[in-house]
Amino acid sequence: QVQLVESGGGLVQPGGSLRLSCAASGFTFSAYAMSWHRQAPGKQRELVAYMATSGHTNYADSVKGRFTISRDNAKNTVFLDMNSLKPEDTAVYYCYADLQIGLWGLGTQVTVSS
């Protein structure tokens, strides 16, 4: 079956860095666009970063210059490198695969606090 599993979340201080990973299985990973989204309590889920199969990327304005999405097709894994973290980055982070039915992971918590 198809599956996405996020990892790497945790508690970091403002200005710190974190790397999130999303391991994919059950489908041809290299054939699909991947993206990262986040949802804070009481807020709607928002797109954070997107990567097409071509390697083209897009970022939310709020994270541009601080976050980087990348993918390793040989390892069926997409990454989100987060730098200069701010308290407003606190959220559950989800990865998404653009399959016909849409595929979400269960999320990983990122908390930025001093």
Side-chain angles (χ1 to χ4, degrees):
Q1 76 277 13
V2 294
Q3 188 176 23
L4 299 174
V5 180
E6 301 97 336
S7 62
L11 175 64
V12 296
Q13 294 190 20
S17 299
L18 210 57
R19 188 182 214 194
L20 305 183
S21 299
C22 176
S25 59
F27 64 97
T28 305
F29 177 77
S30 62
Y32 295 94
M34 299 291 296
S35 59
W36 286 95
H37 304 246
R38 67 186 182 187
Q39 188 167 21
K43 296 185 177 180
Q44 291 189 352
R45 190 171 298 186
E46 64 175 340
L47 175 68
V48 173
Y50 167 90
M51 176 170 277
T53 56
S54 66
H56 181 266
T57 59
N58 278 304
Y59 298 92
D61 287 341
S62 59
V63 308
K64 198 169 297 181
R66 299 188 298 120
F67 290 13
T68 302
I69 186 172
S70 61
R71 64 192 296 166
D72 187 337
N73 288 336
K75 296 182 178 180
N76 289 354
T77 303
V78 62
F79 303 96
L80 184 68
D81 290 298
M82 305 182 294
N83 300 305
S84 302
L85 284 162
K86 305 174 181 180
E88 51 262 46
D89 295 319
T90 296
V92 177
Y93 284 72
Y94 301 87
C95 64
Y96 174 83
D98 194 26
L99 304 177
Q100 294 96 314
I101 60 171
L103 180 63
W104 293 93
L106 294 179
T108 185
Q109 176 72 47
V110 173
T111 302
V112 185
S113 176
S114 59

